[in-house]
């Protein structure tokens, strides 16, 4: 919790992350703004009819913007997934859950699950920004298709597919749409 609080404090007020209301280092209590639409995974699964192409495009762009904010602050999230993105009352997406993240090169204590983990990820290596970028691509796939990449495939088979550069067909086209809309990274 201490690392998570330090990250929220380092980022300050930012549209891409939940607002920090209070951190009590004695009780390890972190209080964040309430985001009434919950996490992206549950929202997508419960409200698929509300996910218009325009809203999906907005969410994908906001996910990329949030990751850019983290990376510019030398933070590697290390656990990109739909459960770690929250939605506010206007359906704006905010990245959260930094407890396992890497701050300025620190060791991470979390890692992404199979469908969001870079195929060349090595457990003993320090985290890399590319790991988060790969997770972002899988997140965009989820936003656009409402399914995890290879959702019906066992995890070990997903690892084998990723390891041989076999990715879901539509993921590349969705990522291309996103990156054409948000521009190049500075």
């Amino acid at each position: 919790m201490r690392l998570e609080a330090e990250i929220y404090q380092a980022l300050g007020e930012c549209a891409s992350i939940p607002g920090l209301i209070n951190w009590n280092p004695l009780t390890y209590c972190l209080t964040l703004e309430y985001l009434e639409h919950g996490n992206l995974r549950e929202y997508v699964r419960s409200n698929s009819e509300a996910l218009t192409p325009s809203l999906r495009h907005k969410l994908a762009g906001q996910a990329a913007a949030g990751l850019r904010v983290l990376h510019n602050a030398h933070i590697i999230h290390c656990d990109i997934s739909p459960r770690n993105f929250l939605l506010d009352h206007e359906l704006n997406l905010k990245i959260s859950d930094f407890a396992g993240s890497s701050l300025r090169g620190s060791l991470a204590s979390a890692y992404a699950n199979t469908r969001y983990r870079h195929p060349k990820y090595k457990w003993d290596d320090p985290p890399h920004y590319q790991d988060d970028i790969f997770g972002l691509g899988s997140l965009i796939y989820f936003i656009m298709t409402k399914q995890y990449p290879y959702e019906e495939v066992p995890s070990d088979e997903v690892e084998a597919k990723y390891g041989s550069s076999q990715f879901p067909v539509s993921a590349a086209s969705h990522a291309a749409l996103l990156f054409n809309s948000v521009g190049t990274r500075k």
Side-chain angles (χ1 to χ4, degrees), residues 51-65:
L51 288 172
T52 63
S54 175
L55 178 57
R56 283 188 237 153
H57 190 263
K58 170 186 155 181
L59 295 174
Q62 288 176 337

Side-chain angles (χ1 to χ4, degrees), residues 15-74:
S16 297
I17 64 165
L20 174 64
I21 294 173
N22 189 42
W23 161 244
N24 185 329
L26 299 175
T27 62
Y28 288 88
C29 183
L30 183 67
T31 307
L32 303 173
E33 76 174 298
Y34 178 67
L35 297 167
E36 57 262 34
H37 286 290
N39 73 55
L40 181 62
R41 177 182 64 189
E42 298 306 318
Y43 185 83
V44 167
R45 298 289 167 112
S46 301
N47 299 285
S48 62
E49 70 286 342
L51 288 172
T52 63
S54 175
L55 178 57
R56 283 188 237 153
H57 190 263
K58 170 186 155 181
L59 295 174
Q62 288 176 337
L67 200 55
R68 181 181 310 142
V69 166
L70 295 183
H71 289 180
N72 285 343
H74 307 288

Side-chain angles (χ1 to χ4, degrees), residues 44 56 138 140-149 170-171 174:
V44 167
R56 283 188 237 153
S138 295
I140 292 168
Y141 180 88
F142 176 78
I143 291 169
M144 296 301 173
T145 66
K146 305 174 204 163
Q147 295 182 341
Y148 293 149
S170 60
H174 293 308

Side-chain angles (χ1 to χ4, degrees), residues 9-147:
Q9 290 167 338
L11 292 171
E13 285 191 39
C14 175
S16 297
I17 64 165
L20 174 64
I21 294 173
N22 189 42
W23 161 244
N24 185 329
L26 299 175
T27 62
Y28 288 88
C29 183
L30 183 67
T31 307
L32 303 173
E33 76 174 298
Y34 178 67
L35 297 167
E36 57 262 34
H37 286 290
N39 73 55
L40 181 62
R41 177 182 64 189
E42 298 306 318
Y43 185 83
V44 167
R45 298 289 167 112
S46 301
N47 299 285
S48 62
E49 70 286 342
L51 288 172
T52 63
S54 175
L55 178 57
R56 283 188 237 153
H57 190 263
K58 170 186 155 181
L59 295 174
Q62 288 176 337
L67 200 55
R68 181 181 310 142
V69 166
L70 295 183
H71 289 180
N72 285 343
H74 307 288
I75 299 163
I76 302 173
H77 191 279
C78 301
D79 190 13
I80 300 296
S81 80
R83 65 182 158 60
N84 289 331
F85 285 80
L86 305 173
L87 293 155
D88 70 10
H89 66 284
E90 294 177 345
L91 296 178
N92 290 307
L93 197 63
K94 299 182 181 215
I95 190 169
S96 67
D97 192 3
F98 305 116
S101 298
S102 170
L103 174 61
R104 295 184 296 275
S106 69
L107 293 176
S109 64
Y111 57 90
N113 75 36
T114 304
R115 286 157 178 78
Y116 295 85
R117 189 171 50 242
H118 194 285
K120 294 186 180 178
Y121 179 83
K122 291 190 170 70
W123 302 98
D124 296 335
D125 284 354
H128 300 279
Y129 293 108
Q130 296 90 330
D131 300 333
D132 278 357
I133 299 298
F134 184 86
L136 175 63
S138 295
L139 182 77
I140 292 168
Y141 180 88
F142 176 78
I143 291 169
M144 296 301 173
T145 66
K146 305 174 204 163
Q147 295 182 341

